[in-house]
Amino acid sequence: MSVLDDQRLARAYLVRVAEPPATELVSFVGELGPVDAADRVRARDCPEKVWQETSARAGYDLAEQDLAEAERLGARLVIPEDDEWPSWPLHSLTLAQGNGIREAVPPLALWVRGQRPLDEAADNAIAIVGARAATGYGEHVASELGFGLASAGFPIFSGAAYGIDGAAHRGALASEGFTVAVLGCALDAGYPAGHEGLLNRIAESGVVISEYPMGTSPAKHRFLVRNRLIAALTEGTIVVEAGQRSGARNTAATAGALGKVVMAVPGPITSAMSVGCHDLIREAHASLVTSVQDVAGAVGKLAAGEQPRASPRRRTDRLGPEALRVHEALAPRRAKSVQHIAAESGVPVSRVRALLPALEIDGFAEHGEAGWRRLDS
Amino acid sequence: MSVLDDQRLARAYLVRVAEPPATELVSFVGELGPVDAADRVRARDCPEKVWQETSARAGYDLAEQDLAEAERLGARLVIPEDDEWPSWPLHSLTLAQGNGIREAVPPLALWVRGQRPLDEAADNAIAIVGARAATGYGEHVASELGFGLASAGFPIFSGAAYGIDGAAHRGALASEGFTVAVLGCALDAGYPAGHEGLLNRIAESGVVISEYPMGTSPAKHRFLVRNRLIAALTEGTIVVEAGQRSGARNTAATAGALGKVVMAVPGPITSAMSVGCHDLIREAHASLVTSVQDVAGAVGKLAAGEQPRASPRRRTDRLGPEALRVHEALAPRRAKSVQHIAAESGVPVSRVRALLPALEIDGFAEHGEAGWRRLDS
């Protein structure tokens, strides 16, 4: 068996015995390497803090079964020793941990279903997250952003939940873009029940990721722990809809703590599902985004030559303030004398005399027997 | 005739002969006082720059007629020499002018219809402005904000236009609060035609203001010039709905230039009428506001004891991370053993044993013959 096989077996064991984020175990593995660390945990020959994180399941030595079961599912265990490990995006967790954010612990390994390499998934990726109890508006926006961003080459991460997550994945799939689901349960948990077909489609063209070993059921705390992976593996997180309390806000907060770009889509202030987004913009200074271009701008990936939107211009925009006043004092049907125009606009007669011929040349005014009329542009 | 009467007559003349903002005339009046300045303009004995601003209408000496007509309409000319002149709010214009914003010129006088004093109108006032082609959503929000802010004691300024302006005035009227319409035409222009009744109701309990002499018709440049008064006379401006190009954005930009608080209400990103609001939040750093409390907070007028909103709390919020994991590993109907709970939660058996009785005391868990069950709060 190769060294890499040994390391994979050791990490398959470790990823089952500790509930992430396993701060102490991860640093223990960092010191000893996965093979020795696994042996020491199995033998209860490890520091007490590591044992606290592993004792409850240390006897669950299912590494070979787990790897075999993964193979049966078309999945694999990707480990930090693999070339496809997304080292750089996940480094944001290590940095944040160094800055005192205890929960920002990198994963020991990741179960991955789907053919495409993990580092490619995490290259220039954007997370689109939001409420399960989304409105039609929210699902529409999530799907449009998923479609547009995936078409523009951004892999779309989300959590495969009902509502916003599902709409974002579906939008990306519809564009034949790359989409990635990160689960808060095992790859084989069949959760959410109604999204089995969606997860199969994601695995066909993109990838489905979980740090939980086979058989792990979904749980609230696992969704929160999972959120750190969504935040870490992407350049920025867009919250499309979120109630006042929402897991999506947790992902956004984590993204912010990891130094990623936090974005939110506004909505009607009469909608409870937009309260969280508005709070993020107001209180957490999330970037308000309304389009693919806004998102690209916020994460600093505007394609060369693309400009942020400019206001459309009207022909009259190039008129000076006096010319504008003269132009407005004209009427389209009723001709007026120069004196009348001067009084109405407050512009001196001499200036009116000078401005009218210029306006006529530019097609803004017309001179007839009875005086001057307005031409509208 | 009193000195004040002379000054009022002089300003009635001056306010007719120059189209505002009349930078040179205003500073000429500042030097000479209104009576001498009016005499000098009548006699064409004034600097050329002042003559540029006044020549087109210098012969229109209608001060007495204008004052008489105003009286007939239940209106009056309020001048800087009056006690009710809102000197402090209008000082923001003078300051901005000193900072190089040429158009920030204080008015020479204001025509006012309604009984209440002008300085009271401009005390703690808020402007609510927006698109004429508003949506049902926008009108609903403008009306609710107008009602709520006027109820809380803020006079509500707007421009009496169709759409957002009208809805804001109506909301304030419905609360029996103070509302103020500032027009871009004369008080007697009958504009907008469909708002004659609304303007009458505003004048009954609040005031209608214009710097334009009787008979002046509405014009685009006058709305822009009028906007500086709305911005100057209020603490802050809320844009409720605005298209990509909109007069409301001009009011907001002016408010910002005058050092006032700029606020915008978000809306669906699928609505063209919210584009301007989103641009203001994103590009001009307008405060995103969704409620009366947000507005009060943004202008720094939260009543004593009021707190910005806090998130509602759940009972489980006070549980530590391990206790939460144990609580979630429990099932409501199926009793589980301590070992089972430890494996499922990843929390060491010894800690699970310690945490379960504490969870039971707090009503989160129940112990029976077959093991532990979850109680939901």
Side-chain angles (χ1 to χ4, degrees):
Chain A
M1 220 164 63
S2 75
V3 174
L4 198 58
D5 286 340
D6 286 343
Q7 290 167 329
R8 200 174 317 278
L9 265 173
R11 287 195 182 265
Y13 166 75
L14 292 167
V15 88
R16 178 173 280 286
V17 299
E19 180 77 23
T23 318
E24 300 298 334
L25 179 59
V26 167
S27 77
F28 190 59
V29 172
E31 288 162 34
L32 275 70
V35 177
D36 285 358
D39 287 344
R40 298 272 295 272
V41 169
R42 274 194 200 94
R44 198 179 168 165
D45 176 23
C46 58
E48 179 58 24
K49 282 179 171 177
V50 175
W51 186 244
Q52 285 290 321
E53 286 178 359
T54 50
S55 67
R57 300 180 193 145
Y60 288 42
D61 200 345
L62 306 173
E64 294 196 27
Q65 290 98 306
D66 282 345
L67 288 167
E69 173 66 10
E71 202 176 333
R72 213 184 55 75
L73 283 173
R76 63 193 185 277
L77 186 69
V78 179
I79 60 173
E81 291 78 10
D82 287 322
D83 287 341
E84 65 170 304
W85 185 255
S87 310
W88 177 247
L90 290 172
H91 189 58
S92 60
L93 289 167
T94 313
L95 286 176
Q97 208 186 2
N99 289 331
I101 301 170
R102 240 187 91 76
E103 303 73 31
V105 181
L108 284 161
L110 290 168
W111 296 99
V112 176
R113 186 177 160 217
Q115 301 307 312
R116 297 177 72 167
L118 204 50
D119 53 350
E120 205 183 285
D123 182 29
N124 256 337
I126 300 286
I128 301 179
V129 299
R132 280 172 296 177
T135 69
Y137 164 70
E139 296 205 6
H140 169 78
V141 169
S143 165
E144 288 288 310
L145 284 176
F147 185 94
L149 287 165
S151 302
F154 296 96
I156 302 303
F157 274 61
S158 196
Y162 295 131
I164 297 303
D165 287 16
H169 287 305
R170 280 188 209 99
L173 286 171
S175 80
E176 304 188 354
F178 197 166
T179 190
V180 181
V182 188
L183 307 182
C185 57
L187 293 180
D188 66 348
Y191 181 88
H195 275 179
E196 209 177 331
L198 177 64
L199 286 166
N200 289 338
R201 282 169 59 210
I202 295 172
E204 276 167 29
S205 61
V207 293
V208 182
I209 299 177
S210 168
E211 64 179 323
Y212 297 101
M214 300 304 159
T216 308
S217 54
K220 265 182 237 167
H221 69 88
R222 291 192 180 119
F223 293 120
L224 297 178
V225 167
R226 175 272 316 264
N227 290 345
R228 87 189 194 293
L229 295 182
I230 295 182
L233 292 169
T234 54
E235 299 272 331
T237 294
I238 308 168
V239 182
V240 175
E241 279 194 324
Q244 198 159 10
R245 290 198 45 142
S246 156
R249 293 180 70 171
N250 171 271
T251 309
T254 307
L258 298 184
K260 309 286 182 152
V261 179
V262 182
M263 295 162 276
V265 174
I269 65 170
T270 47
S271 165
M273 280 301 119
S274 288
V275 168
C277 293
H278 297 152
D279 283 354
L280 279 170
I281 295 165
R282 186 175 33 204
E283 290 156 24
H285 306 291
S287 300
L288 183 155
V289 293
T290 65
S291 65
V292 167
Q293 214 171 350
D294 282 353
V295 175
V299 299
K301 308 278 170 173
L302 273 185
E306 273 185 285
Q307 294 289 326
R309 273 176 311 188
S311 292
R313 294 185 61 78
R314 295 205 183 104
R315 273 190 71 215
T316 47
D317 282 0
R318 60 203 163 87
L319 297 180
E322 276 189 334
L324 261 179
R325 277 161 59 181
V326 169
H327 183 244
E328 285 196 34
L330 297 169
R333 271 172 294 268
R334 193 162 47 88
K336 294 181 179 178
S337 69
V338 168
Q339 286 69 22
H340 189 166
I341 296 162
E344 200 138 313
S345 63
V347 175
V349 170
S350 57
R351 292 286 302 143
V352 172
R353 278 196 218 286
L355 287 163
L356 281 168
L359 286 171
E360 189 173 30
I361 288 166
D362 288 341
F364 290 112
E366 189 180 53
H367 190 218
E369 278 180 32
W372 292 85
R373 290 193 318 111
R374 176 153 86 197
L375 291 180
D376 270 307
S377 39
Chain B
M1 220 164 66
S2 75
V3 172
L4 199 57
D5 287 339
D6 286 342
Q7 290 167 330
R8 201 174 317 277
L9 265 172
R11 287 193 182 264
Y13 166 75
L14 292 167
V15 90
R16 179 173 281 285
V17 298
E19 180 77 23
T23 318
E24 300 298 334
L25 180 59
V26 167
S27 77
F28 190 58
V29 172
E31 288 163 33
L32 276 71
V35 177
D36 286 357
D39 287 345
R40 298 272 294 273
V41 171
R42 274 193 200 94
R44 199 180 168 165
D45 175 22
C46 58
E48 180 57 25
K49 282 181 173 177
V50 174
W51 186 243
Q52 286 290 321
E53 288 177 356
T54 50
S55 66
R57 301 181 194 144
Y60 288 43
D61 201 346
L62 306 173
E64 294 195 30
Q65 292 97 304
D66 282 345
L67 288 167
E69 174 65 9
E71 201 174 334
R72 216 184 53 77
L73 283 173
R76 62 192 186 277
L77 185 69
V78 180
I79 60 174
E81 292 77 9
D82 287 322
D83 288 340
E84 64 171 303
W85 185 254
S87 312
W88 177 247
L90 291 172
H91 189 57
S92 59
L93 288 167
T94 313
L95 287 176
Q97 208 187 1
N99 289 331
I101 301 170
R102 239 186 91 78
E103 304 73 30
V105 181
L108 285 161
L110 290 168
W111 297 99
V112 177
R113 185 176 161 219
Q115 301 308 309
R116 299 178 71 168
L118 204 50
D119 53 350
E120 208 181 284
D123 182 27
N124 254 337
I126 301 286
I128 301 179
V129 299
R132 280 171 296 178
T135 68
Y137 164 70
E139 295 204 5
H140 168 79
V141 169
S143 166
E144 288 287 310
L145 283 176
F147 185 94
L149 287 165
S151 301
F154 297 96
I156 301 303
F157 275 61
S158 196
Y162 295 130
I164 298 301
D165 288 17
H169 287 304
R170 281 188 209 99
L173 287 171
S175 79
E176 303 190 354
F178 196 163
T179 190
V180 181
V182 188
L183 306 182
C185 58
L187 293 180
D188 66 349
Y191 182 88
H195 276 178
E196 207 176 333
L198 177 64
L199 287 165
N200 289 339
R201 282 169 59 210
I202 294 171
E204 275 168 30
S205 61
V207 294
V208 182
I209 300 177
S210 169
E211 64 179 324
Y212 296 100
M214 300 303 159
T216 308
S217 55
K220 265 184 237 165
H221 68 88
R222 290 192 181 118
F223 293 121
L224 296 178
V225 168
R226 175 273 315 264
N227 291 346
R228 85 190 195 292
L229 296 181
I230 295 182
L233 292 168
T234 53
E235 299 272 331
T237 293
I238 307 169
V239 182
V240 174
E241 278 192 325
Q244 199 160 8
R245 289 197 46 141
S246 157
R249 293 181 70 169
N250 172 271
T251 309
T254 308
L258 298 183
K260 310 285 183 155
V261 179
V262 182
M263 294 162 277
V265 173
I269 64 171
T270 47
S271 166
M273 281 299 121
S274 288
V275 168
C277 293
H278 297 152
D279 283 354
L280 281 170
I281 295 167
R282 188 176 29 205
E283 289 155 26
H285 305 291
S287 299
L288 183 156
V289 294
T290 64
S291 65
V292 167
Q293 213 170 350
D294 282 353
V295 175
V299 298
K301 308 278 171 173
L302 273 184
E306 271 185 287
Q307 294 288 327
R309 272 174 314 184
S311 291
R313 293 183 64 75
R314 294 206 184 106
R315 274 189 72 216
T316 47
D317 282 358
R318 60 201 163 87
L319 297 179
E322 277 190 333
L324 262 178
R325 276 160 62 181
V326 168
H327 183 245
E328 284 196 35
L330 297 169
R333 272 174 293 272
R334 192 163 46 88
K336 294 182 180 178
S337 69
V338 168
Q339 285 70 22
H340 188 166
I341 296 162
E344 200 139 313
S345 63
V347 174
V349 170
S350 58
R351 291 287 301 143
V352 174
R353 277 195 218 287
L355 286 163
L356 282 168
L359 286 170
E360 188 172 31
I361 288 166
D362 288 343
F364 289 113
E366 189 180 51
H367 190 218
E369 275 178 35
W372 291 86
R373 288 194 317 113
R374 178 152 86 197
L375 291 180
D376 269 308
S377 39

